[in-house]
Amino acid sequence: MGGLTEAKLRALAGERSFERGLAYVEAVSGVEAGDGWIRASVRGTERYEVELLLGGHRKPRGTCDCPYGQEGNFCKHLVALGLTVVGREADLSRQRTSAMGRARSLEAWLTGLSRDDLIALVREEIAEDRQLRRRLELRAASARGDLAEVRSRIRELLDIGPFAQYGYVEYADARAYAEQARQAVSAIRSLAASDRATDAMVLAREAMGLLAGVVERVDDSDGRLGEVGADLADAHHDACREARPDPEELAHWLVTQALDDASDLFDIDPLDYEDPLGDQGMGTLRKHATEAWKAHRSGWAEKHLMQRLAKAGRDIDTVIAVHAADLAPDGQTHLLIARELDTAGRTAEALEWAERGIRETEDLASVDTALVDHLADRYTRTDRLTDAVTLRRDHFAARHTLLTYRQLRAAAEAADRWPAERENALDLLRADGGRVLVDALLDDRDVDAAWHAAGEHGAHDGQWLTLADQSRPSRPADALTVYLRLACRLTRETGNHAYEQLVSLLLSIRDCHSRLGTPDDFTTYVTDLRASQKRKRNLMRLMDEHGL
């Protein structure tokens, strides 16, 4: 069901919870299956209620009211239910089919009841179920257009008080609160369906304000409150399409909403309101957005809104103006502008902005490397190879790294200028002390020069190992010296990782002795090593496996 497997359960729960869940499979009871969900009880220290949500594009999720599960973890009880699902796939499919059949039978029975019998049934149920009574009372108030009553009930539904301890709704209670909040959205939609779209629009905005005011005090780890916010935004949008509010007032509200700190909760896109706004409202929307941006040019929300509106209207100059008003010192914004202009086919202007980004960066060592790559690529594609080399040379001079060395080499080779550029670059690296110099020479496959640089300037163990590996065929004695030194260090360490490294070195040492014609020396070395390391059983086992 939903492609659930033991491997997925292990990944969701982690090794410890998965292994503990194996012992609880027999404690699973009362399994119920529906469309995309499975519920059951699991007997642990107490009896816990668990639910798995399966299917769709999202990975399986679950809830459990045990202490560990209430913290948002995929607990051992969920593992037990998941394993039950995996083992009873066919049975649960039949159970789900049976549940659907019962639902159809129930619907047929309800449809066959007379009006009086149906009313009597509802009265009986609301007398027993307080929550059902409240939901129906709210729907009734919405249907008759009792705005004051609906507003009062919506405030009650969005009040976190009944769910909060010390002013905060914990994870264990967040789901119940979110379900109650959904009732507020249903009430607003019912109001709109009863030809009260304007009132629905007003209440939707009020509900957004209430929800935004409490969201930071709710543990919404499962994202249910975010879903309520999205539903509330949809209800507002639908109400606006029906109510046709004043376009200028709507435009002002949309801009305010887009710039609000809680905008992510509702994810309202002003461009979705183009229909109820009309030309007049869209003009007002752009006006208010521009005013907000001019008042706070560096604000992320203001810039994002302006860019969205400008791109929608294919106003590339406004997009550039927004970026240009707040240029980053590392050239990142210059690159964004260059890319926008390239997309618009204005390549000459794009090149000017990219070059300006390099010029205006105070320190080329801190420049956005993507800007350097972009400009170098443009130079190469337009056959300005000398300019590409100059750019890469300057960047390498500011940042002495193996990457910038490789990039300079690629540009210089394309321009047929590498020998001269290489010597100048190596001189800069020699002046630094040599660590990057060794890497650069190894990357050039100039092993002899790399050996010399390592001996003169020093190298770290990884570089020495690479040198030894690359030169073992031609310089086995030098390589052997390196391997023996590194192996000596590892003999003082414990752990499988150290043992694996040591065995790898021993194989290389054996190869060196073979090339030097001194296999007996290797035998003596290994015998002494085994004697001194004999208590390391895993090391001895690895050596045996490799014939050492």
Side-chain angles (χ1 to χ4, degrees):
M1 184 174 186
L4 194 63
T5 63
E6 289 191 16
K8 285 186 179 179
L9 289 171
R10 192 183 295 271
L12 287 167
E15 196 66 34
R16 183 169 181 269
S17 289
F18 180 83
E19 293 298 328
R20 296 180 70 187
L22 293 171
Y24 282 82
V25 174
E26 297 300 323
V28 177
S29 63
V31 179
E32 297 180 35
D35 186 14
W37 58 265
I38 295 181
R39 301 187 186 109
S41 296
V42 180
R43 170 64 69 179
T45 308
E46 300 177 11
R47 182 174 293 278
Y48 298 113
E49 299 301 317
V50 295
E51 180 183 57
L52 276 173
L53 301 176
L54 309 171
H57 298 294
R58 300 180 65 177
K59 67 180 182 180
R61 295 175 294 147
T63 59
C64 177
D65 58 4
C66 74
Y68 190 60
Q70 288 180 17
E71 294 175 2
N73 300 298
F74 201 94
C75 65
K76 60 188 178 185
H77 308 112
L78 282 165
V79 171
L81 176 55
L83 291 170
T84 301
V85 172
V86 173
R88 294 171 52 188
E89 176 70 29
D91 181 50
L92 289 171
S93 295
R94 288 193 297 272
Q95 190 174 343
R96 191 165 61 253
T97 302
S98 177
M100 294 171 64
R102 291 195 301 272
R104 287 193 296 268
S105 297
L106 176 60
E107 185 175 353
W109 176 67
L110 290 172
T111 303
L113 290 177
S114 67
R115 179 177 179 275
D116 290 342
D117 288 342
L118 193 58
I119 291 175
L121 175 64
V122 172
R123 285 173 176 163
E124 180 182 338
E125 292 299 319
I126 63 177
E128 296 290 334
D129 190 333
R130 181 170 175 268
Q131 291 299 323
L132 175 60
R133 183 183 189 90
R134 290 181 63 184
R135 290 197 298 270
L136 291 179
E137 287 174 345
L138 181 55
R139 294 189 68 172
S142 299
R144 66 175 180 267
D146 188 342
L147 188 61
E149 177 67 14
V150 175
R151 176 179 279 116
S152 175
R153 290 301 179 89
I154 286 177
R155 289 183 176 276
E156 290 179 8
L157 291 169
L158 296 178
D159 179 16
I160 65 170
F163 301 89
Q165 294 184 20
Y166 310 109
Y168 186 80
V169 181
E170 302 288 349
Y171 176 83
D173 300 309
R175 178 177 180 179
Y177 174 71
E179 290 302 318
Q180 181 172 294
R182 289 184 193 279
Q183 297 176 31
V185 183
S186 297
I188 291 169
R189 289 195 178 280
S190 296
L191 196 64
S194 60
D195 297 326
R196 301 290 296 273
T198 300
D199 291 337
M201 179 190 71
V202 172
L203 287 182
R205 294 186 188 181
E206 292 179 7
M208 287 182 198
L210 292 170
L211 197 61
V214 301
V215 67
E216 295 298 328
R217 290 182 284 158
V218 179
D219 183 346
D220 191 34
S221 300
D222 286 341
R224 289 189 173 91
L225 211 58
E227 294 173 0
V228 174
D231 290 343
L232 192 54
D234 288 341
H236 176 267
H237 179 266
D238 293 344
C240 285
R241 294 187 65 178
E242 293 295 325
R244 294 291 170 178
D246 175 74
E248 295 197 2
E249 185 278 332
L250 176 60
H252 183 269
W253 182 86
L254 286 170
V255 171
T256 302
Q257 183 66 31
L259 302 181
D260 190 85
D261 290 339
S263 60
D264 288 345
L265 178 61
F266 308 109
D267 197 24
I268 290 177
D269 186 349
L271 292 175
D272 290 340
Y273 287 76
E274 189 170 0
D275 178 38
L277 282 170
D279 292 340
Q280 178 185 354
M282 288 299 294
T284 304
L285 183 70
R286 292 189 176 89
K287 174 188 172 188
H288 287 311
T290 302
E291 291 173 349
W293 169 65
K294 287 182 177 178
H296 190 201
R297 292 177 185 267
S298 61
W300 182 90
E302 288 81 358
K303 290 193 294 184
H304 180 70
L305 179 58
M306 277 296 294
Q307 289 163 7
R308 289 276 294 120
L309 292 172
K311 287 183 180 180
R314 294 184 176 83
D315 185 358
I316 186 65
D317 290 319
T318 298
V319 174
I320 294 169
V322 173
H323 283 308
D326 186 32
L327 294 171
D330 64 354
Q332 182 185 48
T333 322
H334 297 78
L335 176 59
L336 292 175
I337 293 174
R339 287 173 173 168
E340 292 284 358
L341 288 166
D342 270 333
T343 301
R346 294 160 60 173
T347 54
E349 294 173 77
L351 184 62
E352 290 177 9
W353 270 101
E355 291 176 330
R356 177 179 165 184
I358 297 297
R359 289 196 307 271
E360 295 182 356
T361 299
E362 294 182 2
D363 181 7
L364 209 55
S366 63
V367 72
D368 186 341
T369 56
L371 174 61
V372 179
D373 294 342
H374 174 89
L375 185 55
D377 177 66
R378 293 303 181 274
Y379 283 151
T380 301
R381 286 163 54 182
T382 55
D383 205 29
R384 295 175 57 179
L385 302 182
T386 300
D387 290 332
V389 172
T390 300
L391 176 62
R392 291 300 190 185
R393 182 198 306 131
D394 292 344
H395 193 217
F396 171 75
R399 299 184 64 179
H400 299 171
T401 68
L402 178 59
L403 176 61
T404 55
Y405 180 82
R406 286 171 172 168
Q407 291 169 330
L408 172 59
R409 182 178 62 201
E413 285 178 344
D416 199 22
R417 296 175 50 179
W418 179 228
E421 291 292 339
R422 180 175 186 263
E423 285 309 309
N424 290 332
L426 293 177
D427 284 342
L428 289 176
L429 293 179
R430 290 186 186 98
D432 282 346
R435 293 301 175 92
V436 179
L437 173 64
V438 174
D439 284 334
L441 292 169
L442 284 170
D443 204 60
D444 284 340
R445 299 195 178 280
D446 192 346
V447 179
D448 289 338
W451 268 103
H452 179 75
E456 182 177 354
H457 300 285
H460 56 69
D461 287 349
Q463 290 173 319
W464 280 117
L465 181 59
T466 302
L467 278 166
D469 288 342
Q470 290 191 11
S471 61
R472 190 165 69 223
S474 59
R475 306 173 65 156
D478 291 333
L480 179 61
T481 301
V482 173
Y483 292 139
L484 289 172
R485 177 173 57 80
L486 297 177
C488 182
R489 291 184 183 178
L490 286 171
T491 60
R492 296 191 289 271
E493 299 182 18
T494 58
N496 289 337
H497 181 62
Y499 301 156
E500 290 169 0
Q501 288 181 301
L502 179 55
V503 167
S504 177
L505 287 172
L506 292 175
L507 294 172
S508 297
I509 291 170
R510 183 171 65 183
D511 183 59
C512 287
H513 278 295
S514 176
R515 293 176 186 276
L516 291 168
T518 55
D520 291 343
D521 290 349
F522 178 70
T523 301
T524 301
Y525 172 77
V526 169
T527 301
D528 292 342
L529 181 69
R530 277 183 169 275
S532 65
Q533 304 288 310
K534 61 184 178 181
R535 293 187 178 182
K536 298 176 180 178
R537 296 180 181 178
N538 285 350
L539 174 59
M540 295 297 103
R541 178 181 55 79
L542 280 174
M543 291 178 68
D544 290 340
E545 289 176 357
H546 289 84
L548 295 168

